[in-house]
Amino acid sequence: MSVNKAYKFRIYPTKQQEILIAKTVGCSRFVFNRFLGQWNDTYKETGKGLTYNSCSAELTQLKKEFVWLKEVDSTALQSSLKNLSNSYTRFFKKQNQAPRFKSKKNPVQSYTTKHTNGNIEVVNNKIKLPKLGFVRFAKSREVEGRILHATIRRNPTGKYFVSILAETEVQPLEKTESSIGIDLGITAFAILSDGRMIDNNKFTSKMEKKLTREQRKLSKRALNAKNKGINLLDAKNYQKQKCKVARIHEKVTNQRDDFLNKLSTEIIKNHDIICIEDLNTKGMLCNHKLAKSISDVSWSAFVTKLEYKAKWYGKTIVKISRWFPSSQICSDCGHQDGKKSLEIRDWTCSVCHEHHDRDINASKNILAEGLKSFVLAYTKI
């Protein structure tokens, strides 16, 4: 099966390459914002927007007016226009909000360039990128398949990364004849129908005390700079502390991504059918008592990883309705015992007298309901 797979590596550009990356990011942002303004004005006047082709033709003339646009990768500027066009297409299809102007104050600065005529390739411990030439990078694995494009970004911590998108072939995993139900929680991250409970590592909570302390220092340095009339971009102490805070956030993000990747891969490898609830995460975040905990566990990211890995490796994800009363039904006899408050963590069925752990019982019911839905869908086919 042919899929698009991303490979992310840290790169170590020279000072000259860093300057060129900054110029390319700035030029891409300039092109995006300029044509976004034109697109908005045209839409207000005529009721119709511009097109990618018309903007692309105008970009050629724009380079004559602003000669510094010729210093950077031309493909990156075209990609910026293409992103703008795609954003408007999705907006008119009501798939996302209208595109907004890009800011140079955005924590992550990036640009995308396409692969043409071998301008992007990996050679030993260096990667060749348009205009930048060969850049040293941390080669953690081989890039397999046909390279489509590369995105170069600078993180708030000052680190540089490249994400290479390649079209590659993946082989389905061997069938295990096993299925699993997953009940996502907060106290435990995931409760599996085989009785396993996956611990919620609480990555954000563990770093909360340190993060609060460093953010307090950041606020004080911002206030000091303001009192002295210094722009925050020029305040060295503020920028150092800002980078320190960003490193803490980056560490939490890396820990969470590593945990989610390993867990999702393990589940996909060992089971053919994975049954989960179709949770309304956005709606649940409106509960201010649980919003912070829900954000920390990243249910949506976990489900997304399960879905694309299942698609790659020939496994099946079955989502059951969020309204299915998984916590109210006895997994042994099927008797529905009514709603139970969150404080009740175990209960005994009034009919068969089986004692249940609330979450394990729910995961068993999710598995049973998921398999039932899968069989019905398969029968219709």
Side-chain angles (χ1 to χ4, degrees):
M1 178 183 178
S2 181
V3 300
N4 290 345
K5 192 173 184 179
Y7 299 85
K8 185 178 178 181
F9 304 103
R10 184 176 176 183
I11 58 176
Y12 301 90
T14 62
K15 289 294 181 183
Q16 290 77 14
Q17 288 171 334
E18 286 183 9
I19 292 171
L20 187 53
I21 289 173
K23 284 183 178 181
T24 309
V25 169
C27 289
S28 298
R29 181 174 60 244
F30 170 79
V31 168
F32 184 94
N33 289 344
R34 184 181 180 90
F35 284 99
L36 174 57
Q38 290 185 15
W39 207 303
N40 289 339
D41 294 339
T42 304
Y43 185 74
K44 288 178 182 178
E45 293 172 4
T46 65
K48 294 181 180 180
L50 302 175
T51 63
Y52 168 74
N53 291 334
S54 63
C55 292
S56 182
E58 190 175 338
L59 178 60
T60 305
Q61 300 301 319
L62 198 65
K63 288 180 181 179
K64 296 178 181 179
E65 182 181 351
F66 302 101
V67 292
W68 38 268
L69 288 175
K70 296 180 181 179
E71 297 178 18
V72 303
D73 179 19
S74 59
T75 312
L77 303 184
Q78 293 289 347
S79 294
S80 188
L81 274 182
K82 194 66 178 175
N83 290 339
L84 174 61
S85 176
N86 291 340
S87 295
Y88 265 111
T89 301
R90 290 194 298 271
F91 169 64
F92 289 124
K93 289 181 179 179
K94 298 183 179 180
Q95 294 176 351
N96 57 242
Q97 295 181 343
R100 297 181 296 177
F101 291 99
K102 292 186 176 181
S103 171
K104 65 179 179 180
K105 295 181 180 179
N106 193 298
V108 178
Q109 299 289 329
S110 66
Y111 71 89
T112 299
T113 182
K114 289 187 177 180
H115 176 268
T116 53
N117 299 322
N119 62 346
I120 304 172
E121 62 177 335
V122 176
V123 180
N124 298 325
N125 65 334
K126 291 185 178 181
I127 182 169
K128 181 184 175 185
L129 296 168
K131 285 286 186 176
L132 294 176
F134 287 96
V135 185
R136 190 166 59 89
F137 79 114
K139 189 178 181 181
S140 55
R141 53 180 171 165
E142 294 291 338
V143 177
E144 299 175 355
R146 182 172 65 91
I147 296 175
L148 301 176
H149 61 69
T151 299
I152 294 88
R153 60 171 55 85
R154 182 182 184 273
N155 280 6
T157 56
K159 297 176 184 177
Y160 291 86
F161 294 88
V162 61
S163 295
I164 300 174
L165 187 70
E167 186 180 52
T168 185
E169 292 290 328
V170 294
Q171 298 300 323
L173 294 172
E174 291 184 8
K175 298 298 182 182
T176 61
E177 305 299 330
S178 173
S179 54
I180 195 80
I182 305 175
D183 180 40
L184 298 174
I186 294 176
T187 305
F189 174 77
I191 301 89
L192 309 185
S193 55
D194 59 8
R196 283 191 298 156
M197 290 195 177
I198 310 300
D199 183 40
N200 176 8
N201 292 278
K202 298 183 178 179
F203 298 112
T204 304
S205 300
K206 289 177 181 177
M207 300 294 287
E208 191 170 20
K209 189 175 181 180
K210 184 176 181 180
L211 186 60
T212 302
R213 182 173 64 248
E214 299 303 332
Q215 285 177 326
R216 190 180 295 118
K217 289 181 184 178
L218 184 67
S219 298
K220 288 181 180 178
R221 292 186 183 184
L223 184 62
N224 289 338
K226 184 180 179 181
N227 292 336
K228 293 177 182 178
I230 303 173
N231 189 302
L232 290 182
L233 292 174
D234 300 322
K236 292 184 179 180
N237 286 337
Y238 172 82
Q239 292 299 330
K240 285 180 183 177
Q241 186 62 26
K242 184 180 178 182
C243 187
K244 195 171 183 178
V245 172
R247 281 198 296 269
I248 297 174
H249 283 294
E250 185 180 64
K251 183 176 181 180
V252 171
T253 301
N254 291 340
Q255 287 176 330
R256 186 183 293 115
D257 283 346
D258 182 65
F259 165 72
L260 295 178
N261 274 318
K262 287 178 178 176
L263 178 60
S264 58
T265 300
E266 182 204 340
I267 291 173
I268 291 295
K269 279 184 177 180
N270 296 323
H271 303 93
D272 294 338
I273 301 175
I274 298 98
C275 306
I276 53 176
E277 283 183 297
D278 182 20
L279 295 173
N280 179 20
T281 307
K282 285 186 178 179
M284 296 172 76
L285 287 173
C286 295
N287 184 337
H288 299 298
K289 292 182 179 179
L290 297 176
K292 193 172 183 179
S293 299
I294 292 172
S295 298
D296 193 19
V297 291
S298 297
W299 290 335
S300 295
F302 176 65
V303 173
T304 299
K305 291 179 189 296
L306 280 178
E307 287 177 329
Y308 79 73
K309 289 178 183 179
K311 184 179 179 181
W312 284 4
Y313 300 117
K315 301 304 178 79
T316 303
I317 299 290
V318 180
K319 288 188 176 182
I320 67 169
S321 170
R322 67 189 63 164
W323 305 115
F324 177 67
S326 58
S327 298
Q328 302 176 24
I329 300 173
C330 172
S331 58
D332 276 42
C333 68
H335 174 69
Q336 188 168 338
D337 224 7
K339 288 187 177 181
K340 299 169 183 63
S341 62
L342 289 174
E343 291 80 14
I344 300 174
R345 305 315 305 169
D346 54 3
W347 54 283
T348 302
C349 177
S350 58
V351 175
C352 67
H353 307 294
E354 183 68 26
H355 189 74
H356 296 292
D357 177 279
R358 179 193 180 105
D359 296 323
I360 294 176
N361 178 72
S363 63
K364 289 179 179 178
N365 287 326
I366 289 170
L367 173 61
E369 182 67 14
L371 292 176
K372 181 180 175 182
S373 301
F374 176 74
V375 171
L376 287 173
Y378 185 77
T379 305
K380 288 180 181 179
I381 294 173

